[in-house]
Amino acid sequence: MDERVKGRRAYHSPRRLEQAATTRQQILEAAQRLFQTQGYAGTSMAAIAKEATVALKTVYVVFDTKGGVLRALWDQLLGGADDQVPVSERPWYIELISEPDPRAQLRLNARNSRMVKVRAAALMTVIREAATADADSCALWTLIQSEFHANQGTIVASISEKGALRADLDERRATDILWTLNHPDVWQLLVMQRGWSPDDYESWFAETSCAQLLEPGGSA
């Protein structure tokens, strides 16, 4: 092998990486605006490119499909700054699972639910509506539901291990209850349709979760 080739280092350009990240973010922000105003079906890749002021080819290079754009946008809105980190590894979730007081755990769960829904509830509505006619959206909506249910199940299991779960509930039923209270449809009904504030929702969710899942008394 030519020594010049052998000794050549891989090209690495921080500026190019920064430009790529900026372009990706432009595309996601443009897609979010269009999805939430025109719906998923009514938004084309060409429209996203135009809204983002980038070439159509660029959108396809970065995301491959419109379904890929939707999934990446969901991951970002769900995770915020931690969009590449699994939910189970995010500090706010670790704080919740590590909390020794079951009532405090459910209050933290309500806080986290509010935090996610403020960012992502409008997109969740888009995904749910698109799921009836689009395979990618249907798969994403199904994944969202299963992941939400699994996360709530982990919380219930933690409460059960502390002996704080209501005696007449098993973990499966308790998980179903907590998942239902935390469902985006509930946020849609109370906050987006009935005009509750996010504070109202968080307080209601925390209080109702405690009343439904925990034995009376216990830690405050």
Side-chain angles (χ1 to χ4, degrees), residues 14-55:
R15 181 179 180 185
R16 182 168 294 180
L17 292 174
E18 182 179 348
Q19 289 173 337
T22 299
T23 298
R24 184 179 188 274
Q25 187 60 31
Q26 283 179 230
I27 294 169
L28 289 176
E29 290 175 0
Q32 182 178 1
R33 290 192 295 270
L34 293 176
F35 288 154
Q36 292 177 186
T37 56
Q38 300 181 20
Y40 181 77
T43 300
S44 66
M45 291 287 267
I48 293 171
K50 182 178 180 181
E51 180 75 12
T53 64
V54 300

Side-chain angles (χ1 to χ4, degrees), residues 5-197:
V5 174
K6 184 178 178 180
R8 187 179 298 162
R9 295 182 179 180
Y11 178 68
H12 176 75
S13 169
R15 181 179 180 185
R16 182 168 294 180
L17 292 174
E18 182 179 348
Q19 289 173 337
T22 299
T23 298
R24 184 179 188 274
Q25 187 60 31
Q26 283 179 230
I27 294 169
L28 289 176
E29 290 175 0
Q32 182 178 1
R33 290 192 295 270
L34 293 176
F35 288 154
Q36 292 177 186
T37 56
Q38 300 181 20
Y40 181 77
T43 300
S44 66
M45 291 287 267
I48 293 171
K50 182 178 180 181
E51 180 75 12
T53 64
V54 300
L56 177 58
K57 180 180 179 180
T58 300
V59 181
Y60 278 109
V61 167
V62 176
F63 293 107
D64 192 37
T65 66
K66 188 169 71 168
V69 178
L70 184 66
R71 176 58 191 270
L73 181 57
W74 163 250
D75 287 342
Q76 184 178 85
L77 292 179
L78 174 65
D82 298 327
D83 64 307
Q84 301 300 314
V85 180
V87 169
S88 61
E89 298 177 14
R90 291 171 188 161
W92 50 265
Y93 190 78
I94 294 172
E95 177 190 13
L96 188 162
I97 295 301
S98 302
E99 169 58 51
D101 183 336
R103 292 182 182 277
Q105 278 188 294
L106 291 176
R107 288 196 292 270
L108 287 172
N109 192 46
R111 179 206 66 182
N112 295 345
S113 175
R114 169 198 173 155
M115 180 176 65
V116 169
K117 288 177 175 63
V118 165
R119 288 198 303 262
L123 187 70
M124 281 190 272
T125 299
V126 171
I127 296 168
R128 180 176 182 177
E129 291 174 351
T132 60
D134 177 78
D136 286 341
S137 301
C138 183
L140 179 55
W141 182 245
T142 300
L143 178 66
I144 290 169
Q145 302 312 296
S146 64
E147 287 184 344
F148 274 12
H149 193 276
N151 289 336
Q152 299 308 287
T154 302
I155 297 166
V156 167
S158 175
I159 291 171
S160 181
E161 288 170 2
K162 298 178 178 72
L165 195 63
R166 258 176 42 195
D168 60 336
L169 284 179
D170 59 24
E171 288 187 23
R172 180 177 179 180
R173 179 60 62 89
T175 299
D176 288 347
I177 291 171
L178 192 58
W179 173 76
T180 299
L181 294 173
N182 192 25
H183 199 277
D185 285 357
V186 176
W187 174 277
Q188 170 74 23
L189 288 170
L190 295 179
V191 177
M192 301 180 75
Q193 292 193 31
R194 299 306 307 164
W196 286 30
S197 71

